[in-house]
Amino acid sequence: MTTQLPVLAAGALVWRETEGEVRVLLVERTQHRDHSLPKGKLDPGETLPQCAAREIEEETGVRIALGAPLGTTEYRLPDGRDKVVYYWQAFVDEEEAERAPFEPNDEILELLWLSLDAAKARCTYEHDVDVIERFEERLAAGHAHTFPIIALRHAKAANPFNWEGDDASRPLTDRGERQSRAVAPGVAAFGPRRIVTSSAVRCRQTVAPLAALTGIAPRATAEISQESSVDPRAALEARIAKAVRKRRGTVLCSHAPIIPEIVTAVVHAANGLESERTHRASMLHTAEFTVLHVSAGDTPALVALETHAPAEP
């Protein structure tokens, strides 16, 4: 008997503050006439964060940057397949919420901005209530506002044993170029404001599609290169401490030996503790990235972390 793979989907608990009150976004679906958090199925070649950001904008017109993850919901579809939906929290300001060019369509009949209690009462499905309650816990802890520090390993590069130039000049392979294009929208979904890359060619090429997508000019530096003549840890600690102090979402693209140093520096700057989980999050394959979500409250705290890989053909 062949086991069917689950249907994957992604969405977000989109929230805003109106006159001091938190309101979350529910949608009423046109055909089902139910009320739920906005979400949609994963398209071929997408990462889950890319899917979440795309689906929210397509369904509601609201452009979002993903915040910290809120876990998953799982349920059985009428055809017997399992469905797994990944959720993130996503704050939008009043201007963006009002700007959203929504019109009723074949999929979504109405957008509803409701208080937390009203949203839980209106939800058709209990699993949506569970997601709202997870957000309530985060809100109560003072961690509703977060910003990302993203550690990105460069994409697949030319074999060092066959490359005649110096190691820093090794370019991406064709597969590496595909990986860099595939991973860019997923990284961009978290709304980074700064891109820092190792000066090595393979790292600069990896962030090129991300730079084109976001309009952010990358800053290349030997400080986070494995070819650096000095120990990168002090420079990384200072750079990341500054990003945390300024609450500035930052992508750092580097090499396998440097990624653990980046993750460790973020953990320390966010007053967190190193663990087996943070260790696993630093062991990245080519073009994988780990997002460390840091609270933007008065005291930095590591709220969540997650790792994603490009979907390759």
Side-chain angles (χ1 to χ4, degrees), residues 43-216:
D43 281 347
E46 279 189 317
T47 59
L48 287 161
Q50 176 185 358
C51 173
R54 175 186 57 77
E55 282 288 346
I56 298 303
E57 184 167 6
E58 287 181 357
E59 287 196 353
T60 71
V62 179
R63 292 177 297 182
I64 62 168
L66 300 180
L70 286 169
T72 63
T73 63
E74 301 181 26
Y75 51 93
R76 186 66 54 86
L77 294 170
D79 63 6
R81 293 180 298 169
D82 292 325
K83 185 171 184 178
V84 182
V85 187
Y86 291 75
Y87 285 99
W88 286 262
Q89 61 192 48
F91 173 76
V92 295
D93 59 28
E94 288 291 271
E95 182 179 350
E96 174 59 27
E98 296 299 332
R99 181 211 62 81
F102 174 78
E103 292 185 3
N105 54 65
D106 291 342
E107 291 191 20
I108 305 300
L109 182 64
E110 185 180 11
L111 305 184
L112 300 94
W113 288 100
L114 302 173
S115 68
L116 291 167
D117 287 340
K120 288 188 291 183
R122 185 68 67 92
C123 283
T124 304
Y125 308 105
E126 191 62 31
H127 52 250
D128 284 325
V129 175
D130 293 341
V131 176
I132 296 173
E133 290 178 341
R134 292 173 207 163
F135 174 72
E136 281 186 293
E137 293 176 2
R138 186 121 353 121
L139 186 67
H143 299 327
H145 289 284
T146 63
F147 62 94
I149 306 292
I150 302 172
L152 169 65
R153 184 179 170 185
H154 66 74
K156 183 68 175 177
N159 190 325
F161 299 105
N162 299 332
W163 184 250
E164 295 181 356
D166 63 89
D167 191 69
S169 69
R170 281 195 291 128
L172 297 184
T173 61
D174 289 345
R175 180 190 174 202
E177 291 181 351
R178 292 194 300 271
Q179 287 179 323
S180 68
R181 292 191 296 268
V183 79
V187 177
F190 293 96
R193 295 168 49 199
R194 189 176 178 88
I195 302 171
V196 181
T197 177
S198 159
S199 53
V201 169
R202 55 193 181 278
C203 293
R204 289 189 281 117
Q205 289 181 329
T206 296
V207 300
L210 176 63
L213 186 61
T214 61
I216 301 170

Side-chain angles (χ1 to χ4, degrees), residues 285-309:
H285 297 291
T286 54
E288 290 186 340
F289 65 98
T290 287
V291 187
L292 298 108
H293 297 273
V294 182
S295 174
D298 293 336
T299 302
L302 183 60
V303 175
L305 71 157
E306 56 186 304
T307 299
H308 299 279

